Every structure is written in C-alpha cells, then in structure tokens.
Amino acid sequence: MGQILFENCRLFDGLGSELLEDRHVLVEGERIKEVADRPISADGAEVVDLAGRTLMPGLIDAHFHAFAADPDFAKMEAMPRSLLAQHARKLLEAALLRGFTTVRDAGGADYGLALAIKAGLIKGPRLFYSGRALTQTGGHADFRALEDHSAFCFCGQGSRIFGVIADGVPAVRQAAREELRRGATQIKIMASGGVASPSDPIWNLQYSEEEIRAIVWEAASWRTYVMAHAYTPEAISRCVQFGVRSIEHANLIDEPTAALCAAEGAYVVPTLVTYDALHRFGPELGLPAVSQEKLKDVREAGLTSLEILKAAGVKMGFGTDLLGDMQVHQAQEFEIRAEVLSPAEVLRSATSANAALMNAEGELGVVAPGGQADLIVVDGDPLADLSLLQHQGARIPVILKAGAFAKRELV
C-alpha cells in the first residue's frame, strides 16, 4: 500500500477546540496510520510539507440532495432519471471540491449513484443515502399539485424520485423495507409540513404514532435509524418519543422540546443556509409562490433555534439542504452558525458529530489512527476565520478522500 506523509502541519483533529501545532500525519492506503507530535520515519512515503497549513478531517454534510436539480420538486419529479443523474454528478463533484468528502442524502439518491461514486464514474463524496423519503398522502414529499385529483400511489410509480407515499402501518413497513432492500443507509420520513410541498402547512403533523414506530422498528432491524423532517415542537417531540434518531431542520423548536432531544440522545441537524438562499434567490430560480409564502414561517426562527439547542446541550449535526444552483452556497452554513456557536463547535458539527450521527464514529470526521484518510488542507486557521472554507474551496489546496488526492494545488 502506498503511503503519504503530511509534515509540518497544524492539526484540527475533529474533536478538540484548538489547533495542535507541529503535527505529522502518515496515511497508508485508505487509512490514517499514525499521528505524531514529532517527525515520522516512513521510507518510501510521498512527503507533503504543509509548511504550517491546517490539516483537518474532510467535511460532512448530513442533509444533502444530490438529485435536487431545481427548487421546484414537482418539476424535478417529471425529469428523466438519466437527466437528474447528470445534475447529481455535477452537484456531487462540486461538493467534493469544496472539501465535503462525505454527504448524507436526505431523499432521492440511490444505490446506482453510490455505485457510480465507488467506481470512480463520479468524482464525488462518500454517499450515505436514504433512497426515497416516506410520506403520507398530502405530506411533505407529496409534490402533486393541488389541482391533481389522481388517486394513484407513488409506490406504484417507478419514476418517482424523491418520495414514496405510504399510508397505514402495513404500507409504511413495506415502503421502509423496500428502501432498505435497495441499500438505504438510513430511512427518511416526513413528520411535519414543509416549504417545498404544495398542500401541507408548516404546522401540519404527519404520520401517526403507530406508523412512525413501525418505521423505526424496520430501520432498527437493519441496525440503522430514522431521520425525520420536522419543524414544530409537537412534530419534533413526537418523533423523538417514538424513537427517531435524527431531526432535520427544527427551526421552530422550543426549550422543553430541546431538553427532550438532549435527554433522549437525539441529534438535530439545522439547515439554516437553505432558508437564506431560498429567500434571496428562490423566486428567480423557480421556487413556487406557495413555497415562498411558507418560507416566511421558518426563516426568521433559524438563529433562535441554534441558541435553544446549544443551551439544552443537544447534539447538533451539520446540514445544508440546498437545492440546484443554490448549492454553491454550501459553505455559508459555517458563517451563519458562527453567529451563535463557536468556530470549534461549528467545525465539530461538520466532522466528528456528523460521523457519530451516521454511525461512523472513529471512521470519519477525525484525524486519528485507524480512521479513514478523508482529509483536507486549509490555507490558514479555520478556527480563527471560518470564511476560509468558502469561495468554492479556493483556500483548500488539498483534498484527500480514502487516501487518494481529489485535489492537489499546493503552491
């Protein structure tokens, strides 16, 4: 196995709150072999002198949409899958070049996309995918127009990309089992109303206790978990009480609900940048009028939700949920969060915290012996200046995924 030796670096290991000075890191094959505060002897290794630059774990986005070619989901559902796959390739490859070596897809991506990445056909991040999100009739992944009175079920429509309609315990069991059969690394459900869907107000509660518990059981039987789209305190608390591990968005969370999340060990994955981007660019990029109106209900509550989550000690992941061309703003999530959280808290959410959420603790999100060699080099100190992670990776001259260079532009 080939070896790469990074010398003379400052290290953010994904776990601490400070940079570690004068570190040396040896990569062997796809894994990190050694991390030391002294020079490492490795005959035959390729030596990369970082000259004081920062070495850190590759970034992880826990709420990504690879197939999100357009802000209008109904329009995307009508696109050929082959066309969406080309959009996905473009979006995934751009994310990797921003330093995101892993993404968790929150609805749409499938085993074919994962296989294309593993085969090198797509030069993209590691992909944890949910398959199609489970939704009730009229739920957040039911993108039929209000004028559409058809009675068909998405589960009988092979062309549906982002969601599968399943109503009742037998149907949700079957839908969950189908996504798990196709290799889903976790199951996504819609548990409240949302911005992108046409018929459900934000406060709408979705899925019964029996349905959610059945889905959670099916995921647990495959040794995985459920992630749930949920905005309001009631929607969030129901999910957590019924066994959901990962709450997505949570803009309208309150103190008692945050305390419940902390007590139950649930993760919350805020996605604040998408509301900012939708507000600024959504109308010109095709966000439907009904979605623009609903956006007002959740956008302004974003920073308050971070304050509530931090005060309660809730485990926070890092996600973006950006759609289409708005994914260029992926790294802006760092600076938005920095209005409430410390830089170290923000970076841990995008590294070790996300890895733990995704059942990859010690494998991803850390610079430690035995971990996957997913690493990035930052030209500067990201703990002092999170904006270094913006600008489409311009200040990230080196990106390593599974021990192989995805980018190498050291001057």
Side-chain angles (χ1 to χ4, degrees), residues 35-293:
V35 179
D37 59 0
R38 50 169 177 71
I40 297 172
S41 177
D43 293 339
E46 179 179 1
V47 177
V48 181
D49 188 345
L50 294 184
R53 296 178 178 88
T54 301
L55 183 70
M56 62 177 288
L59 304 170
I60 303 172
D61 188 337
H63 198 114
F64 189 86
H65 285 289
F67 275 125
D70 191 280
D72 188 338
F73 274 82
K75 179 180 177 181
M76 284 189 284
E77 289 286 3
M79 291 182 184
R81 182 176 284 271
S82 54
L83 175 59
L84 284 173
Q86 292 302 311
H87 281 288
R89 179 188 58 78
K90 174 184 174 183
L91 296 175
L92 287 163
E93 291 181 349
L96 179 60
L97 293 178
R98 291 184 205 111
F100 288 89
T101 54
T102 298
V103 297
R104 183 181 66 162
D105 192 273
D110 61 8
Y111 65 97
L113 207 57
L115 288 175
I117 293 171
K118 288 181 180 179
L121 300 174
I122 296 174
K123 309 297 184 184
R126 295 176 186 274
L127 180 65
F128 289 68
Y129 63 93
S130 305
R132 296 173 298 173
L134 276 57
T135 185
Q136 67 181 40
T137 296
H140 181 50
D142 183 348
F143 299 114
R144 292 173 296 172
L146 300 181
E147 298 79 15
D148 186 347
H149 300 293
S150 60
F152 66 76
C153 172
F154 276 17
C155 57
Q157 301 293 315
S159 64
R160 299 298 172 176
I161 304 297
F162 293 97
V164 52
I165 294 178
D167 294 308
V169 170
V172 298
R173 285 192 185 279
Q174 181 179 1
R177 289 171 180 174
E178 181 63 17
E179 299 311 317
L180 291 164
R181 180 189 73 82
R182 294 181 177 185
T185 48
Q186 65 281 327
I187 294 295
K188 168 81 176 289
I189 68 169
M190 303 304 189
S192 81
V195 171
S197 42
S199 59
D200 53 339
I202 295 295
W203 47 258
N204 179 230
L205 298 178
Q206 298 178 12
Y207 277 137
S208 68
E209 176 177 353
E210 294 78 13
E211 289 168 318
I212 295 174
R213 287 192 183 277
I215 298 165
V216 168
W217 189 94
E218 294 296 339
S221 74
W222 283 73
R223 297 182 179 178
T224 188
Y225 65 93
V226 173
M227 55 188 293
H229 164 103
Y231 280 117
T232 64
E234 188 175 3
I236 296 165
S237 61
R238 293 175 74 248
C239 286
V240 172
Q241 290 168 341
F242 303 158
V244 170
R245 175 178 174 84
S246 178
I247 301 296
E248 311 302 301
H249 315 306
N251 294 51
L252 305 177
I253 197 168
D254 59 15
E255 288 85 354
T257 308
L260 174 66
C261 291
E264 295 296 325
Y267 287 79
V268 174
V269 182
T271 58
L272 303 188
V273 68
T274 194
Y275 308 106
D276 178 74
L278 286 169
H279 173 69
R280 290 192 292 155
F281 309 112
E284 65 187 74
L285 292 175
L287 184 70
V290 64
S291 295
Q292 294 175 39
E293 187 64 28

Side-chain angles (χ1 to χ4, degrees), residues 355-368:
L357 163 61
M358 296 157 60
N359 292 324
E361 190 170 12
E363 278 279 306
L364 302 174
V366 293
V367 183

